[in-house]
Amino acid sequence: MTLQFRIADHGDFDGIWAVLMDGKAALGHLGIDQWQGVYPTQQIVRDDIEAGHSYVLEEDGEVVATTVIGFTGEPVYDSIEGAWLTTSDSRDPRYAVLHRVAVAQGHGGRNLLQSAEPVARQHGCESLRIETHPGNIPMLKLIERCGFSRCGIVHISHAEGASTDRVAFEKLL
């Protein structure tokens, strides 16, 4: 088994989309209202790839996990019920954000989250931030197992009728 973490290209779209839809179905089976509308859309995925923010984890040439790593800050994170580990905000972000994290059934997510750390360091980030739905117990456990600290609650605007609360985490690099 050979794992490779790399920036995605347009040829990865189908693999990324399949992993995202697998994740969407898994959330639905768990009774979690996250991603149960049209989000994420194919256009968002294409835009992520085009912008150079989409990453994949491949196993023997097959996409088994995906994430977006953002370096331009996340305005939603400027208001947190709690406190981040660092003082950086979206006006001068010194953190990277992990969005649209999805892992194919039967594959662990630890490699995906850990693989994002050197990328963030290469961009001069002092930390990684991530948030997830409070009902997404598997993801909450994964994030904590990967050394992230629970910092509080943020509220997203694109919940499509679902809960807007997200549990926010940060990991110092």
Side-chain angles (χ1 to χ4, degrees):
M1 171 177 76
T2 303
L3 290 175
Q4 179 187 13
F5 183 76
R6 62 173 177 77
I7 196 161
D9 61 41
H10 292 288
D12 295 314
F13 175 82
D14 289 341
I16 292 169
W17 189 250
V19 170
L20 286 170
M21 292 303 98
D22 191 37
K24 186 175 192 169
L27 290 171
H29 290 302
L30 291 170
I32 299 168
D33 60 7
Q34 181 181 14
W35 287 11
Q36 298 307 294
V38 298
Y39 180 88
T41 65
Q42 290 187 357
Q43 189 59 53
I44 288 171
V45 174
R46 286 188 180 96
D47 291 347
D48 290 341
I49 293 169
E50 185 66 32
H53 300 165
S54 182
Y55 289 77
V56 295
L57 182 66
E58 286 183 330
E59 182 179 300
D60 298 328
E62 179 185 347
V63 173
V64 296
T66 184
T67 189
V68 168
I69 306 176
F71 301 102
T72 59
E74 176 58 68
V76 168
Y77 291 179
D78 290 346
S79 296
I80 184 171
E81 295 171 14
W84 294 109
L85 301 177
T86 61
T87 59
S88 182
D89 65 22
S90 66
R91 294 176 302 243
D92 182 26
R94 295 180 311 277
Y95 59 87
V97 177
L98 299 178
H99 284 305
R100 291 183 279 294
V101 173
V103 180
Q105 295 265 341
H107 296 275
R110 185 181 294 247
N111 285 324
L112 179 69
L113 295 186
Q114 290 174 338
S115 295
E117 292 177 27
V119 174
R121 279 190 206 98
Q122 289 168 359
H123 280 82
C125 297
E126 63 186 18
S127 67
L128 271 174
R129 293 181 182 178
I130 188 172
E131 98 293 311
T132 194
H133 190 284
N136 192 344
I137 303 303
M139 187 64 169
L140 291 167
K141 288 179 179 179
L142 170 65
I143 293 169
E144 289 177 332
R145 276 195 319 268
C146 287
F148 286 78
S149 297
R150 193 179 289 231
C151 294
I153 301 291
V154 294
H155 301 279
I156 63 166
S157 59
H158 60 277
E160 300 180 310
S163 166
T164 62
D165 293 359
R166 295 294 182 266
V167 181
F169 295 85
E170 188 168 26
K171 182 175 185 177
L172 298 177
L173 301 174

